[in-house]
């Protein structure tokens, strides 16, 4: 196993940040670690990477206990910490050289060249880190995590704060890198998990509440189908609520409604027919995306 976490509990003073957390990750998996702010994602990652100890439980990386073999396990882990801490006054190459020195790499110059190419930093390689855009800073963060060619990558919210273009590029990069490594990446964005990961572990209030294939994420949470529909004119709500398959309707502003339906029926066609029968048209019809908050509510109640 690449990562094994067994009954790990972490207290900050009185507060329990992790409550008997267990999971394991196989070599080559890309696992999304999903949870709202304060769920315990960063704490779990800091324990795996050996930055802080747990109060109880066991943590292994590449079959070695992180508290018994801290240096050996660190040599197998690449870590991009939350908010990507970097030295802004250092030049890109200088910084990567500095990190290579920490790992006592031989041939560090060749390795730095290779990484700069791999993460797409060629055009920016002679700049100071502080001068780079957020997306390029993130590439430097990924390069430092990869410099010693670790087996396991721990990425703590690697795409937070990026604009949509940068986001797309960094996601692609993580997928490319992840093809040959075990990756655990935390995020609070559900779509991110669907885009990058094989598997998803969901944490809430320091407890694992779900652990499944990422492709099951939708199935897991689409028990309720919700459609947002906007009619051009006012409609008869009573008739709408009695359409086949409709469980309940919820009026938003003006002629906008949220329609909850049984998940096995597709009511979109009936909704169009209904609009015609009502002498109006449909201006908007879309499946309402389930928000992470709703999922946590579902999972924790
Ligand atoms: P996440 O990364 O999922 O947002 P964290 O692991 O950062 O969550 O935090 C989990 C909980 O532990 C939060 O309630 C947070 O306030 C608390 N916490 C995190 N770090 C510390 C710390 N150094 N001291 C005290 N409380 C902390
Ligand atoms: Mg965090």
């Amino acid at each position: 196993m690449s990562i094994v976490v067994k009954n790990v509990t972490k207290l900050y003073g009185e507060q329990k940040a992790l409550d008997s957390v267990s999971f394991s990750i196989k070599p080559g998996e890309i696992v999304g670690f999903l949870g709202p702010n304060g769920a315990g994602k960063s704490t779990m990652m800091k324990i795996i990477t050996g930055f802080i100890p747990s109060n109880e439980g066991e943590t292994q990386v590449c079959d070695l206990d992180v508290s018994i073999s801290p240096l050996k396990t660190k040599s197998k882990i690449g870590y991009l910490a939350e908010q990507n801490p970097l030295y802004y006054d250092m030049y890109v190459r200088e910084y990567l050289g500095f990190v290579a020195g920490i790992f006592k790499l031989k041939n560090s110059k060749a390795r730095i060249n290779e990484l700069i190419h791999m993460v797409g930093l060629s055009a920016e390689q002679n700049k100071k880190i502080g001068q780079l855009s957020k997306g390029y800073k993130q590439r430097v963060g990924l390069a430092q995590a990869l410099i010693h060619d670790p087996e396991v990558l721990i990425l703590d919210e690697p795409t937070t704060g990026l604009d949509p273009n940068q986001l797309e590029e960094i996601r692609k990069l993580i997928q490319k890198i992840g093809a040959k490594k075990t990756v655990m990446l935390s995020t609070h964005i559900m779509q991110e998990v669907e885009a990058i990961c094989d598997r998803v572990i969901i944490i809430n209030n320091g407890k694992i509440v779900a652990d499944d294939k990422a492709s099951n994420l939708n199935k897991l949470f689409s028990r309720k189908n919700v459609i947002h529909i906007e009619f051009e004119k006012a409609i008869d709500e009573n008739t709408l609520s009695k359409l086949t398959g409709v469980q309940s309707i919820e009026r938003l502003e003006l002629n906008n409604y949220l329609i909850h339906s049984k998940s096995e029926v597709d009511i979109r066609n009936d909704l169009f027919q209904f609009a015609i029968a009502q002498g109006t048209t449909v201006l908007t019809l879309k499946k309402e995306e389930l928000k992470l908050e709703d999922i946590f509510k579902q999972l924790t109640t």
Side-chain angles (χ1 to χ4, degrees), residues 108-270:
S108 64
K109 208 167 177 187
R111 180 63 183 155
I112 290 167
N113 283 337
E114 195 180 0
L115 278 169
I116 282 177
H117 177 72
M118 190 196 294
V119 304
L121 269 171
S122 301
E124 311 285 297
Q125 60 181 298
N126 295 315
K127 285 191 183 165
K128 266 192 181 177
I129 292 174
Q131 296 168 335
L132 302 178
S133 70
K134 184 130 206 235
Y136 278 93
K137 286 193 183 102
Q138 215 63 7
R139 288 170 198 259
V140 178
L142 281 170
Q144 69 74 31
L146 287 164
I147 200 144
H148 54 302
D149 196 20
E151 291 175 49
V152 177
L153 267 183
I154 306 284
L155 311 175
D156 196 352
E157 305 220 12
T159 58
T160 298
L162 299 180
D163 72 32
N165 286 334
Q166 296 170 335
L167 194 91
E168 183 65 27
E169 286 166 15
I170 296 296
R171 279 182 187 166
K172 278 203 187 117
L173 188 56
I174 292 170
Q175 273 177 311
K176 185 174 105 183
I177 299 162
K180 289 188 201 130
K181 303 200 180 289
T182 307
V183 181
M184 179 178 185
L185 110 155
S186 71
T187 175
H188 54 263
I189 308 164
M190 200 168 78
Q191 286 74 17
E192 181 134 301
V193 172
E194 290 171 324
I196 313 181
C197 305
D198 310 322
R199 184 175 143 205
V200 55
I201 297 175
I202 305 183
I203 185 168
N204 191 35
N205 275 328
K207 286 198 177 93
I208 305 292
V209 290
D211 183 344
D212 209 330
K213 278 188 193 157
S215 54
N216 281 347
L217 202 62
N218 264 328
K219 270 187 242 157
L220 211 63
F221 305 120
S222 62
R223 271 166 272 167
K224 253 195 199 164
N225 263 3
V226 183
I227 285 175
H228 173 198
I229 190 162
E230 180 184 6
F231 299 103
E232 202 203 353
K233 286 190 278 201
I235 48 90
D236 179 34
E237 294 182 1
N238 195 27
T239 317
L240 178 61
S241 63
K242 285 191 180 130
L243 283 185
T244 318
V246 171
Q247 281 180 323
S248 64
I249 65 170
E250 202 180 313
R251 175 142 185 233
L252 306 172
E253 76 277 313
L254 275 169
N255 302 318
N256 283 268
Y257 293 86
L258 284 185
I259 313 220
H260 299 255
S261 67
K262 292 179 190 136
S263 55
E264 63 279 7
V265 273
D266 188 347
I267 59 165
R268 288 173 297 178
N269 192 28
D270 290 350

Side-chain angles (χ1 to χ4, degrees), residues 69-121:
S69 319
L71 280 181
K72 246 193 178 147
T73 50
K74 281 191 180 79
S75 74
K76 296 183 182 296
I77 301 172
Y79 179 35
L80 177 53
E82 196 170 26
Q83 285 153 13
N84 191 12
L86 293 168
Y87 293 111
Y88 283 11
D89 285 332
M90 279 183 148
Y91 290 90
V92 172
R93 284 187 162 274
E94 181 191 13
Y95 174 66
L96 293 176
F98 167 69
V99 181
I102 292 173
F103 285 102
K104 298 192 171 71
L105 292 192
K106 295 172 196 121
N107 289 327
S108 64
K109 208 167 177 187
R111 180 63 183 155
I112 290 167
N113 283 337
E114 195 180 0
L115 278 169
I116 282 177
H117 177 72
M118 190 196 294
V119 304
L121 269 171

Side-chain angles (χ1 to χ4, degrees), residues 12 15 17 35-44 46 82 156-157:
Y12 292 115
Q15 194 194 353
N37 284 329
K41 302 181 296 296
S42 297
T43 300
M44 189 67 252
K46 284 177 196 164
E82 196 170 26
D156 196 352
E157 305 220 12

